[in-house]
Amino acid sequence: MTVHKPVGPVEATKVPRFAGLATFAKLPQIDQVPDYDIAIVGVPFDGGTSYRPGARFGPAAVREASRLLRPGYHVELDVEPVKEMQVVDAGDLACTPYDITRAIQEIEEQALPLMGEDKRVVAIGGDHTIALPMLRALTKVHGPVALLHFDAHLDTWDTYFDQPVTHGTIFRRAFEEGLLVEDSSMHVGIRGPVYDRADFLRDHEFGFQIIRCSDLDVIGVPAAIQQVKDRLGNTPVYVSIDIDVLDPAFAPGTGTPEMGGLHSRELLALLRGLNGINIVGADVVEVAPAYDHADITSVAAATVVFDLLGLLANRSKGASIVEERDLEAASF
């Protein structure tokens, strides 16, 4: 945790929220503070999209929607993330829109310096392809992680049109590259048809458990939360949230919408119920604002990012308390 007093967002009572620079939640830019605990970074790449393009405009749209947030206090998580931790907007990672292989290398190279043992990064996509370079960078700092994946789709397919890295293949590549802790990862919100019955068998071989949207109708949100917590334990976790985990009624602005998804309140309840898990990195991806006339999807994504900030702040606070107790015990 940074030792200086955190620099917070521009006060909405002094500068209207619709005015000024559109950093995330009007937080300071990374070069305006001496140090930081959490960096929010945009990754405007959508070259791995298989259906509707446009997620390259996601970071800008989510930042614009985040003006609406009141980030001073998260009521449900009982935390003041931007007062207790230094949160910054690190701008966008620049990468080529024409070459997937080169783009993911550029994303990894630029993301890595933002990360550290005591620094967390939340990426705003971009399509889901960006999760692979973010995981590659993250595991260079933390080693293999468990993946908590909210999505309508598995994203563990092999190739699309002979391309090994797309927004639907990244977590197979992550498994093959040893980026994931064995038998610790989960998909939540999966629904809709797949290419083949064997897709689920292969996914299981990659060490994933699945909570489908239809499962929630049977077991309910509290049981799903407990199942995720039991699976993850205290393992370092990367949380990857494809906004299409939400039903298109709540997130129409995305590349591959599937009906029958989570309600907004269900997604927030699931996230808030995971308070205390060891999150070391996260992303929110697949916001394609051109398909949403009223910024519904961007508002949802901005709110989810704020929830992630609350979870990260609470985890850091809890870890600090544990460290203090260990030091006190060691002194006797």
Side-chain angles (χ1 to χ4, degrees):
M1 245 183 162
T2 54
V3 293
H4 66 279
K5 183 179 179 182
V7 178
V10 176
E11 292 185 39
T13 56
K14 295 182 179 179
V15 178
R17 284 180 284 175
F18 49 79
L21 189 65
T23 59
F24 186 85
K26 304 197 76 177
L27 286 159
Q29 297 177 80
I30 192 169
D31 58 0
Q32 294 177 318
V33 298
D35 200 2
Y36 64 91
D37 301 298
I38 305 172
I40 298 168
V41 64
V43 192
F45 175 79
D46 64 1
T49 305
S50 60
Y51 195 58
R52 303 196 305 195
R56 65 182 62 183
F57 300 109
V62 174
R63 285 189 178 102
E64 188 66 28
S66 74
R67 290 175 180 268
L68 189 62
L69 295 171
R70 296 175 182 85
Y73 178 55
H74 195 300
V75 179
E76 285 79 8
L77 293 174
D78 188 26
V79 66
E80 299 173 301
V82 299
K83 297 178 182 178
E84 297 174 17
M85 308 190 78
Q86 182 61 71
V87 188
V88 298
D89 190 318
D92 286 345
L93 305 183
C95 61
T96 176
Y98 300 113
D99 183 329
I100 294 177
T101 302
R102 181 176 154 198
I104 62 173
Q105 180 180 348
E106 291 171 340
I107 293 167
E108 179 186 351
E109 289 173 349
Q110 295 173 72
L112 183 57
L114 297 173
M115 300 175 178
E117 286 289 344
D118 59 348
K119 288 180 167 55
R120 303 290 182 256
V121 175
V122 179
I124 303 173
D127 73 42
H128 223 149
T129 310
I130 74 155
L132 182 59
M134 296 302 294
L135 277 167
R136 285 175 175 172
L138 186 73
T139 54
K140 288 180 178 177
V141 177
H142 296 280
V145 296
L147 174 69
L148 178 55
H149 175 217
F150 292 86
D151 203 323
H153 312 96
L154 297 171
D155 291 354
T156 52
W157 287 284
D158 191 12
T159 63
Y160 282 140
F161 295 90
D162 299 322
Q163 292 299 311
V165 177
T166 73
H167 72 163
T169 67
I170 66 278
F171 297 131
R172 179 183 286 217
R173 300 289 90 83
F175 171 80
E176 292 170 345
E177 293 177 18
L179 307 182
L180 305 181
V181 176
E182 189 172 350
D183 294 325
S184 296
S185 296
M186 294 198 73
H187 305 293
V188 179
I190 303 300
R191 61 190 188 276
V194 293
Y195 294 107
D196 188 277
R197 184 191 299 268
D199 288 344
F200 290 105
L201 297 175
R202 285 188 286 267
D203 189 80
H204 182 71
E205 291 171 1
F206 303 146
F208 285 94
Q209 284 187 359
I210 301 173
I211 298 176
R212 294 178 60 82
C213 275
S214 54
D215 294 332
L216 288 173
D217 295 332
V218 178
I219 67 174
V221 170
I225 291 169
Q226 191 59 53
Q227 189 173 330
V228 173
K229 282 188 164 183
D230 290 345
R231 176 77 164 170
L232 298 177
N234 198 41
T235 307
V237 177
Y238 185 81
V239 180
S240 187
I241 303 174
D242 186 327
I243 206 66
D244 74 21
V245 74
L246 292 172
D247 189 88
F250 303 94
T254 191
T256 46
E258 302 276 3
M259 74 173 297
L262 297 181
H263 296 192
S264 300
R265 204 157 53 201
E266 287 177 320
L267 176 58
L268 295 180
L270 284 163
L271 284 172
R272 293 164 184 173
L274 298 173
N275 200 20
I277 66 170
N278 186 15
I279 301 173
V280 294
D283 65 52
V284 179
V285 298
E286 297 285 357
V287 174
Y291 307 107
D292 180 349
H293 74 287
D295 301 328
I296 299 167
T297 313
S298 302
V299 168
T303 305
V304 166
V305 172
F306 180 46
D307 271 41
L308 289 168
L309 296 182
L311 293 171
L312 286 166
N314 268 343
R315 172 67 191 193
S316 176
K317 189 162 51 176
S320 297
I321 291 170
V322 169
E323 288 173 6
E324 288 173 9
R325 287 174 180 166
D326 289 345
L327 286 170
E328 287 175 5
S331 64
F332 287 101

